[in-house]
Each structure stands twice: as structure tokens, then as C-alpha cells.
Amino acid sequence: MNKSKTLIVVLLVMLLSTFSIFANGSGEKESGKTVIKVAHIYDPMGGSGDKIGSEWFKSIKAEFESENPNIEVEFENFAWDQIDIKLMQDYRSGISDHDVAMLTPQLFAQHREVGDLTDLASYIKKDWSSNEIDEFSWASTYTQGNVKGQQIAIPLGSHSRIMLFNKDMFKAAGLDPDDPPKTIDELIEYAKKLTVDTNGDGTIDQYGLAMALGPDRGTIELTFGPLIWNFGGELWDSVNDKADIDSPEAIKTAELIWDLLNKYKVVNPASPVNDMTVNLFNTTMNEKAAIILGWGSYWVGSLEEQGYVKGVIPPSVDAELVKVGFAQYPTTAQAGFTNSWGVGIYQNSTNKDAAWKFLNYMLRKDNLRKFPDAGLPIRKSEWQTPEYQTEYYQTYFDAIKLGKPMPVTPYYGELADVVSAALQTCMNGDREDIPQILKTAEKEFNSKYEN
């Protein structure tokens, strides 16, 4: 073989090797292992809740790889309100560099419209017994993952937002920590007594009430939605398939929020510019508010760490509510927003069988039991165990039964943004302008997305 032919052969070998590397991408390493990418929302360098969630994923990875030495797991980290959007954007761009992902139920309808998630029905039929299916299918959080006939996600647990209150603050204000407010009128009365200047410097440093009022989805999910339900209204007109955010019930809700913030001044005035985590989680852990509307069970690990509760995570029969108590929303419906993080497989994944194997491993009873963001158990059999008969879990069990989801629309993200922006305008403006602000917001949304 002459030198020119030899050079051509060498170049071809190099080219094929390079192509092989790019073709495999994250799917296969030179060792022959299948590599799957798993997207979650926990920043290992973030706060306490993030660290706990990140550690759980790391432990699942280590145990799974030990059982499946031919598969390697790599993590992708996304902000909680961006993970779904990124998956859909990448799918539209033809990118195949994802496999397993945590998913937001509020956006399932949009995922189904885009088509970026795999229908898991064939995997479930092949690998799950009828008993295993029953373990999940009893819960509404499971049926939320079935959109237009496709099971695009399986829940990792069951969440319902609830009211948390600081027992020590109740006692200091002369309030019974075993008798939290049960109506909106009682909530206002309690919040007034609990809004105090504890330092004696003329400034309020403890507010009676904390709510999600910032520029994120927490506002519609944890505040506006549940308070509309209190007045008997809904966010969505399912008959005409359009938003209903200027109804009499919605107007009453916005006026109530305005009063709490501007008239009674029982809510931190910085709440409209802070996100959900700052308004609720940080406020609770720093003891800056006595009553928290919209507390999520996904934060329980931090309560346990700080000694606010004991024996709750992991569950035990000796669970004790030390510093905080829990109750349903003090509304006529007693309903908080209910959902769960789901998990699914990216439609463009080149390693779907390996992805399903990891997904299925995550859903094992022992693994879900340790998942700090699971909230209430999704597996039906867990509720038969003694550790879930404690006050904490029974309160949340009732919350799940009473809870409600957000509207099922592919444009839920846009609806949340419109509501948040409208409420920002309401809170910063005059009370009498609220009906017109909501009417304008509803018209803006429905003109683009009705039907």
C-alpha cells in the first residue's frame, strides 16, 4: 500500500472513531457502559432542601449502578420552574441529550401537546403486576400523568400545600397552639395579634401571615387559587375552555389579598418582590412569620434538621411536632393545591430501556420512603403502616383528599404569569381598580389562548 493510500486509511479510521464518540454522545462510553442523563431540580450547592434532595439522588445513583454495572448515571440540574421548559425546547430543537427527568404536573398538558415525553404504558404493562399498578393508580396524582390517553409520567409522591403555624408565637400572643384559625375572619384576627415589634425598635419584625405573592408560579398555586376556592370560584372555565380570573370570586380574592397586605398590614410588604422560597421557607426557618399559607411537605427535611419536628422524616411512630403545627387552609373548601413531582422519559432518548430501568428503580418502596420531596406516600400499601398514623401524616392525608390541582391547559405557564402580573398591579394600586385590572388580564390571556 502506498503512502497516500495509507494516509487515507488512517484518516478514515480517525474520522470513524470521532464519529463514534459523537454518535454515542452521552449514551455510551468507551468502556461499553450505557450512560443515561437524569434531570432533577436539586442544586448540590444550594440550601438545605436542595442538599437533601441532591443527596437522595446521589444515593439512588450509587445503589442503582451497583445493581446495574453496565449503566452509568449522570445528573443534569435545572431550576424548579425551568426544567420542563428546557425539555420541551430541546425536543423542538431535535436534541436527544436527555433520558429521565423530574416533571411538573401543571405542565403535563403542555408536554403532551409538544410530544417530548414517552408513553410509559408499554413498559408498565410489561413489568408491573396488577398489584404494582394498584399501588400507584389509586391516587389522583397518578391520573394527572395520563394526558389524552398517554401515561407520560408517574408520581414520586403526593403533595398538598397546607397551613403551618409557629406554636411558640401563638403562646406568646396568648393564642392556643392547638386551635389554629379555621376561617378567613379568624385568620385575619390571628394575624393581627401575631404581627408585632418583638425588638421594641418601632419596626415590625414578626408578621402574622406569610403568603406566596411574588413573580413566580407560587402566587397562583398557593395563594390566588386556594383563596378563590374559598369563595366558591375556579380559575378555569372548563366548559368554555378559558380562564376565569375576573369572576366575582376572583375579585373578592384579590381584594382580600390587598387588604391583608395594605389595610391590615399583616404580611411583609416585601412579599410581592420575593419568590416563593423566600416568602414561605426562609420566613419559616428564620421565624419571621407566625402563620404560613402554602407550606409544602417537600420542606419537611429542613424542619427535622432544625428540630422543629422530630421523627417525621423518615417517618416514625414517635413523630413529634415540637415548634410548629399544621392544619388545612382556613377556607370554606379547606383545599390547598395538590400535586406531585412526576418522573418520565424524554421522547428523544436513545436509551429508553435503561432509562425505564432507572425510573423503575426510583419508584421502589424503600427508595420513595427516603425521598424528601415525596410528600405523602404514593404507594397505597404505605398507608397501612403505623408510622403514617401520626398527627403530621394524618393531617396531610386529609389535605390530599381535600386538595385540588391547577387548571389542565397547555398554557398553564402563561396563565400563571398573567395572574402573577395582574396581582402585582392590584397590590401596588388602588383597591377600587382591582376589577378592571383582572378584567384586562383575563381578556389578554383569553384573546391568545381561549379554546
Side-chain angles (χ1 to χ4, degrees), residues 146-164:
N146 191 302
V147 186
K148 294 184 179 179
Q150 289 191 7
Q151 191 71 43
I152 58 176
I154 299 172
L156 293 168
S158 294
H159 285 296
S160 191
R161 283 58 177 182
I162 207 166
M163 182 174 69
L164 175 148

Side-chain angles (χ1 to χ4, degrees), residues 108-390:
F108 284 170
Q110 188 173 352
H111 278 292
R112 181 68 175 87
E113 199 82 3
V114 172
D116 63 310
L117 297 176
T118 301
D119 184 1
L120 302 175
S122 60
Y123 286 107
I124 293 171
K125 182 178 181 180
K126 177 171 67 74
D127 292 338
W128 284 13
S129 65
S130 58
N131 287 338
E132 184 73 355
I133 293 172
D134 189 50
E135 281 277 82
F136 293 87
S137 61
W138 69 278
S140 63
T141 45
Y142 181 84
T143 56
Q144 285 177 30
N146 191 302
V147 186
K148 294 184 179 179
Q150 289 191 7
Q151 191 71 43
I152 58 176
I154 299 172
L156 293 168
S158 294
H159 285 296
S160 191
R161 283 58 177 182
I162 207 166
M163 182 174 69
L164 175 148
F165 55 94
N166 188 299
K167 293 182 176 182
D168 292 344
M169 292 180 187
F170 269 49
K171 292 175 184 176
L175 297 170
D176 185 352
D178 295 321
D179 186 26
K182 299 177 180 63
T183 66
I184 293 297
D185 287 342
E186 286 185 1
L187 177 67
I188 295 171
E189 177 189 344
Y190 277 52
K192 287 179 179 178
K193 294 178 179 179
L194 291 161
T195 300
V196 295
D197 168 18
T198 62
N199 295 324
D201 61 0
T203 60
I204 301 298
D205 58 337
Q206 174 190 297
Y207 285 91
L209 180 62
M211 301 189 298
L213 295 175
D216 57 47
R217 291 208 311 257
T219 297
I220 189 173
E221 295 169 358
L222 312 182
T223 302
F224 195 59
L227 292 180
I228 281 181
W229 301 333
N230 171 72
F231 294 111
E234 295 290 344
L235 290 161
W236 192 257
D237 178 353
S238 57
V239 175
N240 297 301
D241 200 24
K242 63 179 183 178
D244 191 16
I245 56 174
D246 79 335
S247 64
E249 296 83 4
I251 292 170
K252 288 180 182 178
T253 297
E255 289 174 343
L256 171 61
I257 294 170
W258 192 96
D259 288 344
L260 291 168
L261 189 68
N262 298 307
K263 178 181 177 181
Y264 304 121
K265 300 184 185 301
V266 295
V267 177
N268 190 324
S271 298
V273 299
N274 292 330
D275 65 20
M276 175 184 73
T277 301
V278 172
N279 282 332
L280 305 183
F281 176 80
N282 292 2
T283 295
T284 300
M285 303 311 296
N286 295 328
E287 297 190 78
K288 294 298 183 182
I291 300 173
I292 314 295
L293 276 191
W295 178 266
S297 55
Y298 35 79
W299 287 322
V300 68
S302 297
L303 293 178
E304 187 85 31
E305 278 188 349
Q306 296 299 315
Y308 288 18
V309 300
K310 291 182 180 178
V312 169
I313 183 77
S316 76
V317 293
D318 299 318
E320 181 184 357
L321 304 182
V322 181
K323 184 182 279 289
V324 295
F326 301 89
Q328 311 309 330
Y329 269 72
T331 59
T332 56
Q334 292 188 292
F337 168 51
T338 299
N339 72 335
S340 165
W341 281 107
V343 62
I345 297 176
Y346 187 58
Q347 182 66 276
N348 283 354
S349 169
T350 58
N351 304 287
K352 289 184 180 179
D353 289 347
W356 167 254
K357 189 171 286 189
F358 181 80
L359 185 156
N360 209 17
Y361 186 84
M362 291 172 65
L363 296 174
R364 288 185 183 180
K365 181 181 291 189
D366 289 345
N367 291 334
L368 288 183
R369 186 176 292 168
K370 295 180 289 186
F371 181 44
D373 250 2
L376 290 165
I378 182 60
R379 285 183 169 272
K380 191 176 183 180
S381 59
E382 288 288 75
W383 288 102
Q384 301 170 7
T385 58
E387 57 265 35
Y388 285 107
Q389 308 308 310
T390 60

Side-chain angles (χ1 to χ4, degrees), residues 388-449:
Y388 285 107
Q389 308 308 310
T390 60
E391 179 185 353
Y392 174 85
Y393 283 103
Q394 286 302 300
T395 302
Y396 264 105
F397 179 70
D398 291 340
I400 285 291
K401 290 190 296 184
L402 295 165
K404 301 176 70 170
M406 284 291 106
V408 180
T409 166
Y411 306 104
Y412 172 74
E414 289 82 353
L415 176 65
D417 289 343
V418 166
V419 167
S420 178
L423 284 182
Q424 294 282 324
T425 306
C426 290
M427 290 181 286
N428 292 321
D430 295 328
R431 194 178 190 272
E432 56 265 30
D433 293 335
I434 288 175
Q436 185 58 48
I437 293 169
L438 293 183
K439 182 177 181 180
T440 300
E442 181 182 290
K443 184 177 180 180
E444 173 191 341
F445 179 86
N446 287 337
S447 65
K448 297 178 182 177
Y449 304 116

Side-chain angles (χ1 to χ4, degrees), residues 53-95:
S54 177
E55 287 302 316
W56 181 80
F57 265 98
K58 287 180 182 177
S59 69
I60 296 298
K61 164 185 163 69
E63 295 162 6
F64 174 79
E65 289 177 344
S66 178
E67 280 193 21
N68 301 272
N70 61 324
I71 303 176
E72 184 173 332
V73 177
E74 292 183 355
F75 290 134
E76 301 177 285
N77 295 102
F78 296 96
W80 70 273
D81 57 352
Q82 293 297 316
I83 189 167
D84 298 85
I85 304 303
K86 177 63 175 172
L87 289 171
M88 288 185 271
Q89 288 175 342
D90 286 354
Y91 177 75
R92 290 186 174 111
S93 301
I95 294 172

